[in-house]
Amino acid sequence: METVLKATARDGRGKGAARRLRADGLVPGVLYGHGMDPVSISLSSQDLLHFFHATHGAATVVDLDVDGTKFLAIPREIQRDYLHGRYVHIDFLEVRRDEKVKMSIEIHETGEAPGVRSGGVIEHHLREVEIECLPGDVPEQITADVSGLELGDMLRLGDITVPGGVIFLTDPNTPVISVVTPAALRTEADLGLPGEEAAPEAAEAPAEAAEGEAPAEPAPEPEG
């Protein structure tokens, strides 16, 4: 059963109307989709906070109750003021239970990579994956198991188990997670660690200085 969010249709538009809504503890939004005319709505800011806290910010399907009429919808284009910890605007896309939807889902890692215990660090290449599925099959997240990654290994999208009823639209060869040498160590290796053999040019420089001779200046050309 989907979560129910209550909303109210609103007439006022523009920045002034939106500011007044937020001052009253409401969040302006829009419901659209399936050829319907976009409907301007407002929702309780507290209801949205509780909703996204309960779903951990994951993509999910919701029963949007607009003045007593329910619409199956997915939150899209979520705007948030992180400084003040509030939502500024939110759009909802109406969907049908028997029609597939396309959306982005977050990728979360699980397990502990052996390569990390060997001194490596996890490097993320892809945070979200584009999927297609029926609304009832929308997963809260995609899980990437890193427990088999040694230092230098990489997990690609094609290595991740696809949830039932879901199709990945992103290229399966796309890198997702790898275990790499820490950047600081890579930088030291590039510059040359203390005690390493000097480059040929550096080794020749002291020999030239020991001669104590200044570079010979070219002889003046004869006049005339």
Side-chain angles (χ1 to χ4, degrees):
M1 181 177 178
E2 289 82 19
T3 302
V4 177
L5 272 179
K6 290 185 176 295
T8 302
R10 59 186 175 90
D11 296 326
R13 295 187 179 184
K15 294 182 178 180
R19 281 195 295 268
R20 287 191 292 272
L21 285 173
R22 296 184 192 110
D24 292 335
L26 300 173
V27 179
V30 174
L31 171 64
Y32 65 95
H34 279 282
M36 66 181 293
D37 292 332
V39 178
S40 297
I41 59 175
S42 63
L43 305 91
S44 163
S45 177
Q46 287 300 314
D47 286 351
L48 277 181
L49 284 171
H50 293 155
F51 169 69
F52 285 114
H53 177 74
T55 58
H56 306 287
T60 186
V61 179
V62 61
D63 276 325
L64 188 64
D65 184 334
V66 182
D67 296 329
T69 301
K70 288 187 178 181
F71 300 87
L72 190 66
I74 296 176
R76 305 294 292 269
E77 301 298 328
I78 303 167
Q79 300 177 28
R80 188 173 182 182
D81 179 358
Y82 288 94
L83 183 61
H84 298 92
R86 64 182 182 181
Y87 290 92
V88 176
H89 191 277
I90 183 169
D91 289 351
F92 288 92
L93 172 65
E94 184 195 13
V95 296
R96 298 281 190 260
R97 293 188 185 277
D98 58 351
E99 292 184 9
K100 291 185 176 182
V101 295
K102 297 178 181 180
M103 59 192 307
S104 295
I105 300 293
E106 290 186 356
I107 299 175
H108 290 259
E109 66 178 82
T110 61
E112 182 179 358
V116 173
R117 294 195 295 269
S118 301
V121 294
I122 292 290
E123 186 171 29
H124 294 268
H125 305 283
L126 186 69
R127 295 286 186 176
E128 294 183 339
V129 57
E130 290 289 326
I131 70 165
E132 182 180 57
C133 64
L134 292 172
D137 293 329
V138 175
E140 289 189 0
Q141 63 185 32
I142 301 298
T143 301
D145 186 2
V146 301
S147 57
L149 295 183
E150 299 286 351
L151 187 62
D153 286 348
M154 175 182 290
L155 190 72
R156 298 182 183 275
L157 188 60
D159 301 322
I160 295 177
T161 302
V162 184
V166 175
I167 298 174
F168 285 167
L169 301 180
T170 306
D171 187 343
N173 291 318
T174 303
V176 178
I177 295 174
S178 58
V179 181
V180 300
T181 303
L185 296 181
R186 293 204 306 268
T187 301
E188 290 178 359
D190 292 339
L191 294 177
L193 293 174
E196 290 185 340
E197 183 177 348
E201 294 80 4
E204 294 173 2
E208 293 177 357
E211 296 292 337
E213 296 180 359
E217 296 182 358
E221 297 183 1
E223 297 180 359

